[in-house]
């Protein structure tokens, strides 16, 4: 569409030229055109950050190195007001991790990853009978006697979905399962990974204990390991019922677990902020966010180096096309994975400032397939314009209001308008929080489509009027 | 085709019945028909072995338990002469394994697996500069000075192929790379996994040192980790050339490696053998083989529990359809992965006995797509018949002579005829020798197609005449 208009303008200029009138130069390329001319900014940020820094767990030296890297990179790209805004947060680090099924069959090792905030088993580990629960709800419904002194296993049936909606529903076993198991007297909890792949790569992620609840060791098994546990569980049950002549003692299913994570106390983390200064200093800024930290098992390519690549490439293209009216503020948040500490710190420092609209990219690197809005009524025409523009890239207009994202969550909750450029999450939970979150999983073609969609949207937002977005 | 003939027979019987002539009973189902009626034997063997025993590294207690399991299972299925034939072999077991890139960038952990026969680094590990080689041939061509005192990394470009033909070509880096690196003075060798996946699951497998060559520590990185090493290697080279202002000291790429495998000396392993006795004791037997041992990282579902499931299901169907003329001998070989010790032991004990023809299933559980023959001229009609029968299942007739397989390799080399029911290997090297070789990777539909093809072939072979297969 844009390209056609541009050709029309050129043709028109040419036809005027035949009338021997001075030829006006063709209009400079728009931001969206710049993005479409072939963007490698997002890829370069994603590749460089994941290669030169790698995993960057919140509060560690790696995250700190990533901030230094980020400041240097954003300055080199020509952004203004590049700065680090420090905050403190509690740091948890992974230790040794090993699990095995120890009976009634021959011992078999399982692939396991400790969940964030897991307690330590101590170096000698713990061993206990498995208490199987088909779901988090089944655990909640169980009497304490079924759990006390045992290692709880929480199963589930998460399936892949384009919008990632299974995460909230099935993720509860990770978010709250250890807390519930501890309250019922479990010695540890092991969950089936909140993931949709079938590789021996467990999915980590945070688990949370309420105040007053004793943290217990908590880990996630990869899906094939959870399958194996379930098969042995079923056989053990059937052996105990039938006392078959298999030659095995019909004992309960047992597990040995060694997890030695540590809490290191409060440490520095920080947000990295950069800006494209607007021509109207009185206009409220557009804020765009990603997160710089990652889990420690992979290099955090899709979660969320690519997100930082996408939003930064879009801001760069808008800047290259000419100064926008509004300031664009780029937030590379710190310590998102372990509790959205960066987003909270940003809100504490800047929450009372006016923000025109907030957007976040934190759902991988696959194509944007839908756009959701949560804009004031005054932005109706603006919203239609963005939806029409995105339609050219195959993006459908959603019917649900935009939710924002973790790091802009507090802003959106406080009333800042939001737009979600929803990414295709069909394969996101194959990789999410696993060792497999590495650069090779990023598809450069889909990454570029993200940049094009973001640039088109951002160019409109950054040049919107105060009447549209007050 | 078979089913149509059967229906025809039934219809014909019915039409004769209207003429009030006594109705002959329909013919009993053939072995191939039994297999097509829905086979779950192969799946059950694969599931039970991988669940109840799991990984079964040659010479370990797990492999020994697998033999006991196998004898019980084959007896329970009604096979005759079920027995274990023991032999001794040298046992190597995995220890601790860890690798990281330690400079010039921040330390980053890599997913690594020791190769079979790797020496130990000792618990403190070794650290050294990386000497990069794009291929095994590049290592061979390098002067010792490029290698001495360094950790050699061997890269390659293996691509997936339906016939698995990349394994031989690219696998040399694994089979012989450590030997070549040791001779040139390397302190250790690390290879890109001989695999076609992009998961953080390294591919183990044996490496071999010539007599007189000092074994050195040898491991395989997963493909994403090898990618990361290569990216850092390229940046390090460019930094050393350009001395860019990245803030890093332009040092060579370094790796820390901890591998503590052990050689346990000679231990017992064994073959498990079972038979379907033929009606003609003078006729030479048909031998069908798989291997019972597996590498230790996964549960050996596709390599090679499924193979044992396939050949055993086929033998069972032939047996159920009526006693064949020739004896079918089922060989579940021990200690294949670590040096084909079971195949060699079988040949030492039985190599002088006459065998009509040998077949092996050891290339996963995906569908048979091609059949290759290496039969005497006397078997031309037999060969045509098998090819025609298999054509009904979508199997093409190959133009290359059958090669046999590892465990029947010595027999075939000694002149025993062979048939290869070639399995689709397109995804085989995604899983081969990795932690990901687990039951979920077996497709029950394709597994069943294997059994149907094997049963049809085996029924013809087991009832062939001495004129066809002397």
């Amino acid at each position: 569409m844009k390209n056609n208009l541009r050709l029309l303008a050129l043709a028109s200029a040419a036809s005027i030229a035949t009338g021997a009138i001075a030829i006006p130069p063709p209009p400079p390329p728009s931001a969206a055109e710049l993005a479409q001319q072939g963007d490698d900014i997002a890829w370069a940020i994603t590749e460089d950050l994941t290669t030169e820094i790698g995993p960057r767990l919140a509060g560690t030296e790696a995250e700190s190195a990533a901030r230094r890297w980020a400041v240097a990179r954003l300055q080199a790209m020509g952004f203004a007001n590049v700065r680090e805004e420090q905050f403190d947060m509690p740091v948890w680090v992974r230790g040794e991790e090993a699990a095995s099924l120890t009976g009634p069959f021959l011992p078999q090792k399982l692939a396991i990853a400790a969940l964030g905030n897991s307690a330590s088993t101590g170096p000698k580990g713990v061993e206990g009978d498995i208490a199987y629960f088909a779901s988090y709800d089944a655990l909640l419904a169980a009497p304490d006697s079924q759990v006390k002194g045992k290692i709880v296993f929480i199963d589930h049936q998460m399936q892949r979905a384009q919008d990632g909606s299974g995460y909230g529903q099935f993720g509860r076993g990770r978010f709250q399962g250890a807390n519930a198991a501890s309250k019922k007297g479990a010695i540890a909890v092991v969950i089936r990974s909140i993931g949709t792949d079938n590789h021996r790569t467990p999915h980590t992620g945070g688990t949370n204990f309420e105040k007053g609840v004793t943290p217990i060791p908590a880990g996630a098994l990869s899906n094939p390991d959870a399958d194996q546990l379930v098969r042995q569980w079923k056989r053990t049950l059937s052996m105990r019922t039938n006392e078959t002549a298999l030659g095995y003692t019909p004992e309960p299913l047992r597990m040995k677990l060694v997890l030695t994570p540590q809490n290191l106390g409060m440490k520095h983390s920080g947000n990295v902020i950069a800006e494209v200064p607007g021509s109207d200093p009185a206009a409220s800024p557009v804020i765009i966010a990603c997160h710089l930290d990652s889990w420690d098992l992979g290099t955090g390519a899709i979660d969320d180096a690519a997100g930082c690549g996408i939003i930064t490439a879009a801001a760069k293209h808008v800047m290259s096309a000419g100064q926008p009216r509004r300031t664009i503020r780029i937030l590379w948040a710190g310590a998102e994975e372990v509790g959205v500490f960066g987003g909270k710190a940003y809100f504490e420092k800047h929450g009372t400032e006016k923000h025109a609209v907030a957007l976040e990219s934190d759902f991988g690197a696959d194509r944007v397939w839908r756009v959701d809005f949560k804009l004031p009524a005054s932005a109706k025409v603006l919203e239609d314009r963005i939806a029409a523009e995105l339609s050219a890239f195959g993006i459908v207009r959603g019917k649900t209001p935009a939710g924002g994202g973790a790091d802009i969550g507090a802003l959106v909750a406080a009333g800042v308008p939001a737009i979600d450029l929803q990414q295709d999450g069909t394969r996101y939970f194959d990789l999410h929080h696993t060792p497999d979150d590495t650069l090779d999983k990023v598809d450069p073609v889909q990454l570029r489509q993200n940049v094009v969609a973001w640039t088109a949207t951002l160019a409109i937002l950054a040049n919107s009027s105060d009447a549209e977005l007050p």
Side-chain angles (χ1 to χ4, degrees), chain A residues 61-427:
Chain A
E61 170 54 26
E63 197 204 25
S64 171
R67 283 196 298 283
R68 292 194 296 275
W69 182 97
V71 166
R73 182 60 161 254
L74 291 164
Q75 281 173 338
M77 289 180 75
F79 293 110
N81 304 324
V82 180
R83 63 195 185 270
E84 191 180 323
E85 292 184 354
Q86 279 204 353
F87 54 85
D88 287 346
M89 38 80 62
V91 176
W92 173 97
V93 291
R94 191 174 305 280
E96 192 189 346
E97 29 203 31
S100 28
L101 293 169
T102 52
F105 301 97
L106 276 184
Q108 288 188 34
K109 287 184 190 169
L110 303 175
I112 194 165
L115 299 180
N117 300 321
S118 166
S120 173
T121 61
K124 291 188 177 167
V126 295
E127 185 163 5
D129 294 354
I130 293 281
Y132 172 91
F133 296 99
S135 65
Y136 173 65
D137 289 331
L139 168 63
L140 287 187
D144 291 5
S145 60
Q146 272 184 34
V147 172
K148 205 168 172 58
K150 294 184 178 171
I151 298 178
V152 161
F153 174 74
I154 307 174
D155 207 351
H156 64 77
Q157 295 293 335
M158 182 177 176
Q159 299 298 313
R160 62 183 70 247
Q162 193 174 11
D163 68 359
S165 55
Y167 187 51
Q169 182 168 333
F170 298 99
R172 293 177 307 146
R174 194 195 84 210
F175 312 144
Q176 305 159 41
N179 185 71
S182 177
K183 287 202 283 189
K184 289 175 189 282
I187 59 172
V189 66
V190 169
I191 65 167
R192 177 188 286 274
S193 280
I194 309 301
T196 50
D197 62 296
N198 66 348
H199 299 289
R200 303 279 304 277
T201 45
H203 296 238
T204 189
T207 194
N208 295 301
F209 296 96
E210 292 165 11
K211 223 175 176 124
V213 174
T214 308
I216 56 174
L221 296 178
S222 83
N223 274 315
D225 291 278
D227 293 345
Q228 184 78 329
L229 184 151
V230 172
R231 279 191 296 269
Q232 285 206 353
W233 169 258
K234 286 182 180 165
R235 274 155 211 253
T236 308
L237 273 191
S238 131
M239 280 158 56
R240 296 176 79 182
T241 313
N242 304 325
E243 302 254 343
T244 54
L246 281 171
Y248 303 111
T249 316
E251 287 166 354
L253 185 63
R254 289 179 69 77
M255 177 182 280
K256 171 90 188 282
L257 193 63
V258 180
L259 300 172
T260 60
Q262 281 180 282
N263 289 305
L264 303 183
M266 298 298 281
K267 301 265 180 193
H268 290 319
S269 179
N271 293 323
V272 175
I273 293 175
E275 290 179 347
V276 178
S279 59
D280 181 353
S284 55
V286 176
I287 180 163
I288 56 178
C290 64
H291 65 86
L292 180 56
D293 67 306
S294 77
W295 277 106
D296 53 337
L297 299 175
T299 61
I302 67 151
D303 190 11
D304 185 30
C308 291
I310 291 163
I311 68 165
T312 308
K316 172 76 176 171
H317 290 309
V318 172
M319 181 166 71
S320 300
Q323 189 179 29
R325 195 178 82 82
R326 295 179 190 273
T327 291
I328 299 169
R329 186 174 291 170
I330 303 166
L331 168 62
W332 289 18
E336 187 271 347
E337 292 293 5
V338 297
V340 198
F341 293 101
K344 288 173 195 160
Y346 180 86
F347 187 73
E348 274 169 29
K349 198 175 170 80
H350 302 282
T352 56
E353 299 167 20
K354 185 90 189 149
H355 293 79
V357 59
L359 298 85
E360 184 166 325
S361 180
D362 182 18
F363 199 53
D366 281 350
R367 64 184 291 277
V368 175
W369 70 284
R370 197 180 80 195
V371 55
D372 295 334
F373 298 97
K374 189 179 182 184
L375 300 181
S378 58
K380 177 71 178 72
V381 171
L382 185 82
E383 184 175 316
D384 290 347
R385 203 179 134 209
I386 292 171
E389 187 107 5
L390 294 180
S391 181
F393 312 123
I395 297 166
V396 299
R397 188 173 188 165
K399 289 171 182 165
T400 44
D407 290 304
I408 57 170
L411 289 173
V412 174
V416 173
I419 298 176
D420 292 346
L421 294 171
Q422 303 283 14
Q423 292 168 292
D424 190 328
T426 308
R427 66 181 186 129

